[in-house]
Each structure stands twice: as structure tokens, then as C-alpha cells.
Amino acid sequence: MLDKAIDLAGWLVVLFILGPLVIIVGGSFTETPYVAFPPTGFTLRWYAQLMHRRDFLNSFVFSLALAALCSLVAMLLGVAAVIGLHRHGFTGRQVFRAFLMSPLVLPTIVTGVALLQFYYLIDMDAPVTGLLVGHVLITIPYVLRTVGAGLVGLDPAIEEAANSLGAGGLRTLLRVTLPAIAPSIMAAVIFVFITSFDQATVSIFLSGPDMMPLPVRIYSYIDFAVDPMVAAVSTLLILFAFGIIALLQKLLGLERAMGVG
Amino acid sequence: MSTAVISRRGMELLLYLAPVTLFYVVFLILPYLMVLRLSFFQFSPMHLYIPEFTWANYAAVLTDRFYLGLLARTIGLGLLVTLVSLMLGYPLALKISRAGPAMKSVLLAITLSPLLINLVVRTYAWLVLLGDTGVVNHWLQALGVTAGPLPLGGNMFSVIVGLVHICLPLMALSLVGVLERIDPALFDAAESLGASRGRVLRRIVLPLSMPGIGAGSLLVFSFTISAFVTPALLGGNRVTTISTLIYEKFTFSSNWPVGATLVVFLLVINIAVVILHGRLFRED
């Protein structure tokens, strides 16, 4: 009896999680000028309309470029930090690591506001750089966590062997350490990319009308219209997310990638 | 010889850690310190602020009924969302932890998938569902449950629903983590001693999952009180939280000193949660 109740409750919660997403995907094909579920008729006109929106297309391309650039910078800074922390013991290492992880626990809205007033007060007029900095700041912790976990699993004897065979520090790094942790580096790149691509809060504070990442574009569009075109762009983003999940699953196994089990 | 080795190691360490440290000092510490400084400056409608030290902003926030109400409402929202997420997350987590391997993968994927879907998209979904002419109201009227539309959107209710939807995966994951670690032999022992399923749940499973409940709750609470996009969109300009007011102070009304003071309050609450988290669950 109790087990049945728990089972049923579990299914209802699954429905609660998936329901809205299913309705958005279904509603994007409706012929009505509002999102209806089940959709009335079937049309691709909202997707066609989306393809004619220069602003949305520009934002999509901009978001992709920003996420790619963010991945590059966050990986360079983050992987160097992880290796430094891994190879060298020093006093206060744990504190330093916690400091590097701090953007993860600091509210994103505060990071956004802090950077906004900082750029204004130092008179920095470089919107793309400003946005990039915000994204790099909140994604570095993901690099530390994911790549850090890969390094912990690495047998130190392998690096020692390379060293004793005469490979220098740099050579060991490039030929032994980095290849050995390649899967976690790949996973970190994907995490950083998607976190940057999806980031809305920090971007809302740091982007202007010309350089608007996609989530901010959707956010400001929703403010005055909730038509099925947004359902269409949402559907594409959901497909994108499932593509990423499949990729992660393939690379690492989902449970390990998300840090469960 | 040995000093040369040490300094070489020191050089290498510097090479690895200096870039990230510099980045953090310039773009994290400095901006945060500047916000803190701003909260002690006077507001000026002409110049954004006047750089003269004052406690006035703190006094205003701590004595004005409006700001006190705002703090109470935000914390209340955090508690409520945490409670509902826990009540929904627990049966889901139990179901996941009891499922066979194939079912478990499917359920985990379903639970995790929202984490990878854009926050704005997830919020938009509830905007579509809960509006006056939204999907839920449409169905309620079509099925004859209600005569007119229920006020589901643009209020505290829709904000809570949206936030719970976003927080559920975080809560469920924390719970699955602890539930999986409970030794199944305990259940067999309890049952062979005559305990009912309900009693096993109350006396064994629930107490043993307290660390997960605590960790998940703190995570959801701090996420909720800092959330901006969801209350801003689903609250329909009628629900103000600390975050939405911070946005308002830094954009439309341009009262940066008071905005900065609210930032400090939000940070203090969050840091308290982090410290509590660290005390309760020491990471090694």
C-alpha cells in the first residue's frame, strides 16, 4: 500500500518535471496564435518565422561564439590551476581551492551586478570582453571540479615513470598527464560550453542591445509576447540539450558526468 | 642546489597559478569590494552616488517596513520552495533508488535533463501553462472544473511552481546520493523483526537520509533566495524579491547605494548558508 503510494507519487513528480517541456515542444507546432496543448493542427510556420528573425539568428551565433571563447579561456586558466594545485603541495592549498570555487556559491546575480558597476566605474567600454569575463568567472569552478576529479583518479606512478625515464615537466604534462585525463577535459569543455551558452542572469546585466546572447534575447522577447515562436526556439534548445546529454552519456556515462553515484 | 630546486618548483607553481589568481583578483575581489564600498556611499539622483561614508543605507533597509517585508518575503519564499521541493523530491528519489538498473538510468536521465535545459526556456514553459488564457486554465474550463480562469500566473503561486520545477533535480540528486548508500540489509533486518514498511521508512530510511535532506535543502534555499530570472518573469512585476529589487535599483531607478546594500544582505544570507553547510557536512 505504502509502496504503491510512493510509486504513484514518484510518477506524478516525473510528470511534473517532463510535462511543461512536452507541452512546449508540442505547442510549437500549433496553428493557433497562442501555445495550445494538444496543438491545434500542425504547422511549421513558427519555425519559419523564427528563421526570418535576424535578431534571434544573430543572438544564436553570438551565443555560440561566446560559449566557444569562454570554453577556451576557462580551460586555459582552469586546467593550469588544477595542475598547479595537483602537482604542488603548499600551505593554504585547500583555502586557495575553495577561493577558486567560490563563484559557484556566490549568487550569479551578485556577480553580474558587481561586474556591471565595476565596468562602469573603471570606464571600461568593451561589452563583449565584459560579458566574456563574467562567463569565464562562473565556469572556471566547473573546470576545477571536473578536471580535478580526473586528476585524482590518475595513478601518480605514471607521471613518476615518465619523469624517471627522463621526460621533463612540460613533456610529461603534454605527453602523459593531459592525454591521460582527456575524457575529463572533454567533459569539462562540454560543461563550460553549455553553462555559458545557457547563462542568462549574468548576461542580462552585462549585455547591451547590439550584443545580446540568445537567452537574454528570449528573456526580453517574452516580456512582451508569449507566442508559439518562443516555443519553437525553446524546442530547438531542448533538442540541443538532449544532444549534449547523449554526448556526455557516450563519453562518460551520465551518472559519473553529473557527479552522482 | 636545493634552493635552486625549490625556486624552480616555485617558478613552475607561479606559472600555473598566477594567471587564474590575477583574473580572480581583478574581476572577482575588486568588483565585490567596490560593491561593498558602494553600500556605504550616499545616494545622489544626479551623480549616482556621493563618495561620503554613511550608514544610512543599512539603517534604511533595517528599519523601513518595505525592506523588512522584502527580506521576510524572500526568506519565506526560500523556505516554502525548499519544503515543496523536498516533499516532491523524496518520493522521486526513493523511486530512483529502488529501481532496477535500466529503469534507474531512465529516471535519472529524466531527473537530470532539466538541469541542461535553459533556465529561460523552463520559466517560459510555466508562463505558457499558468497564464489566464494558458494551457492549465484552458483545460480546467474545458473539463468544467472552474467557470472562469483561476489566477495562476503573475503572482507568488507561479513563482513558487517555477522555482520548485527548477530546484527539484538538485534536491532529488542530493537525496538519491544518500538513499543509495543505505545498506539494504537494514531493511531485511527490520522487516524480519516485524517492522511494517511505514515503520521502516520512518525509523530507518528517513533518519539515514537526513544528510541528503540537509544538503539538498541548503542548496535549494540559497538558489531560491538568489534567483532572478524566474521571479522576474513569473511574478509579472507583482512579486518583488531581494534579487528583482537589486536589478531594479541598478537599472531603472539607478539607486546604486541601496542596491549595493541589498547585495550585501543577499551575500550575508548566502554565506551563512554556506557556513552552515560546511559545518554540517565536512568535505574531505
Side-chain angles (χ1 to χ4, degrees):
Chain A
M1 185 54 207
L2 181 70
D3 288 326
K4 281 238 175 73
I6 289 172
D7 201 51
L8 182 68
W11 280 124
L12 288 176
V13 175
V14 167
L15 198 68
F16 173 73
I17 291 177
L18 284 185
L21 308 172
V22 172
I23 287 172
I24 288 307
V25 174
S28 70
F29 300 108
T30 188
E31 284 173 2
T32 48
Y34 54 89
V35 177
F37 192 85
T40 318
F42 179 88
T43 175
L44 289 176
R45 78 173 232 245
W46 302 109
Y47 290 87
Q49 188 180 328
L50 184 65
M51 293 309 147
H52 288 102
R53 291 287 301 230
R54 273 236 92 87
D55 49 351
F56 273 81
L57 292 178
N58 286 343
S59 288
F60 174 66
V61 174
F62 178 61
S63 275
L64 284 180
L66 185 66
L69 213 55
C70 173
S71 307
L72 183 71
V73 180
M75 289 310 284
L76 282 176
L77 291 172
V79 172
V82 169
I83 290 174
L85 285 169
H86 172 71
R87 280 204 183 164
H88 302 275
F90 56 91
T91 28
R93 185 167 70 159
Q94 284 309 320
V95 177
F96 185 72
R97 189 173 182 281
F99 164 62
L100 293 183
M101 291 300 285
S102 63
L104 205 58
V105 289
L106 294 167
T108 16
I109 179 172
V110 176
T111 304
V113 167
L115 287 174
L116 169 82
Q117 51 94 43
F118 175 68
Y119 296 154
Y120 181 85
L121 295 175
I122 64 165
D123 226 357
M124 186 174 108
D125 187 27
V128 179
T129 313
L131 208 50
L132 179 65
V133 164
H135 281 217
V136 169
L137 203 53
I138 48 182
T139 50
I140 285 183
Y142 292 98
V143 181
L144 298 186
R145 197 159 65 181
T146 313
V147 179
L151 270 179
V152 168
L154 185 68
D155 187 351
I158 299 174
E159 283 177 303
E160 282 159 23
N163 262 317
S164 70
L165 289 171
L170 187 65
R171 204 174 146 90
T172 308
L173 177 69
L174 292 178
R175 302 295 294 273
V176 178
T177 315
L178 288 182
I181 56 168
S184 29
I185 288 185
M186 263 321 288
V189 170
I190 294 172
F191 267 127
V192 171
F193 189 91
I194 192 134
T195 306
S196 163
F197 187 81
D198 274 347
Q199 181 49 235
T201 312
V202 161
S203 304
I204 286 171
F205 285 92
L206 303 180
S207 55
D210 325 319
M211 285 296 173
M212 220 184 235
L214 190 57
V216 186
R217 177 73 65 191
I218 303 173
Y219 175 86
S220 45
Y221 185 84
I222 290 176
D223 243 2
F224 68 96
V226 199
D227 62 33
M229 192 186 84
V230 185
V233 70
S234 298
T235 302
L236 295 177
L237 285 178
I238 290 172
L239 282 179
F240 188 67
F242 276 103
I244 299 278
I245 295 180
L247 196 62
L248 273 177
Q249 173 81 283
K250 206 167 171 155
L251 278 173
L252 289 172
L254 197 61
E255 284 86 349
R256 240 189 87 200
M258 303 294 276
V260 203
Chain B
M1 176 74 188
S2 85
T3 51
V5 169
I6 288 167
S7 73
R8 211 188 75 93
R9 285 180 63 87
M11 274 299 289
E12 204 184 295
L13 189 62
L14 199 66
L15 206 67
Y16 282 127
L17 297 184
V20 77
T21 309
L22 188 69
F23 187 83
Y24 271 60
V25 168
V26 175
F27 294 115
L28 186 72
I29 295 187
L30 220 55
Y32 269 75
L33 286 179
M34 283 167 88
V35 173
L36 186 64
R37 193 182 65 139
L38 203 55
S39 71
F40 292 105
F41 284 167
Q42 285 172 23
F43 169 61
S44 154
M46 304 292 290
H47 308 96
L48 275 179
Y49 62 86
I50 301 166
E52 273 171 49
F53 182 86
T54 174
W55 285 102
N57 306 313
Y58 287 88
V61 171
L62 284 174
T63 55
D64 195 318
R65 291 183 74 104
F66 171 74
Y67 290 114
L68 288 176
L70 176 83
L71 294 178
R73 189 162 54 243
T74 307
I75 291 173
L77 177 70
L79 293 174
L80 207 57
V81 170
T82 306
L83 189 69
V84 178
S85 303
L86 186 61
M87 278 162 38
L88 297 184
Y90 209 88
L92 177 64
L94 272 178
K95 193 171 167 53
I96 293 175
S97 67
R98 289 173 181 178
M103 191 57 168
K104 184 174 284 181
S105 288
V106 172
L107 287 174
L108 264 179
I110 290 174
T111 309
L112 295 174
S113 56
L115 288 177
L116 291 167
I117 292 170
N118 197 294
L119 191 72
V120 181
V121 168
R122 282 186 278 162
T123 304
Y124 162 77
W126 288 107
L127 216 52
V128 166
L129 260 83
L130 297 177
D132 278 353
T133 55
V135 175
V136 172
N137 265 320
H138 174 83
W139 276 104
L140 284 177
Q141 287 168 68
L143 295 172
V145 181
T146 55
L150 293 179
L152 301 174
N155 52 33
M156 208 48 158
F157 174 76
S158 50
V159 173
I160 292 170
V161 172
L163 284 169
V164 166
H165 189 243
I166 287 162
C167 292
L168 247 182
L170 304 176
M171 180 63 93
L173 285 184
S174 302
L175 295 173
V176 170
V178 288
L179 288 175
E180 299 255 275
R181 255 175 276 149
I182 299 178
D183 186 352
L186 282 175
F187 306 139
D188 301 338
E191 261 166 36
S192 70
L193 289 170
S196 67
R197 301 288 285 175
R199 206 176 154 87
V200 171
L201 188 65
R202 256 196 331 275
R203 303 295 292 274
I204 298 178
V205 181
L206 215 52
L208 284 176
S209 56
M210 278 321 274
I213 293 177
S217 298
L218 292 172
L219 200 63
V220 169
F221 180 78
S222 63
F223 178 87
T224 301
I225 58 165
S226 322
F228 167 70
V229 169
T230 309
L233 283 177
L234 288 176
N237 296 324
R238 281 184 291 273
V239 177
T240 329
T241 66
I242 299 181
S243 298
T244 61
L245 196 63
I246 288 174
Y247 178 74
E248 207 261 331
K249 293 288 177 202
F250 273 92
T251 52
F252 309 119
S253 68
S254 290
N255 188 339
W256 286 19
V258 166
T261 310
L262 292 171
V263 164
V264 174
F265 275 93
L266 187 58
L267 274 179
V268 168
I269 302 174
N270 267 289
I271 289 168
V273 171
V274 170
I275 291 174
L276 192 65
H277 190 271
R279 279 276 165 85
L280 292 176
F281 322 100
R282 263 170 219 290
E283 271 186 71
D284 31 25

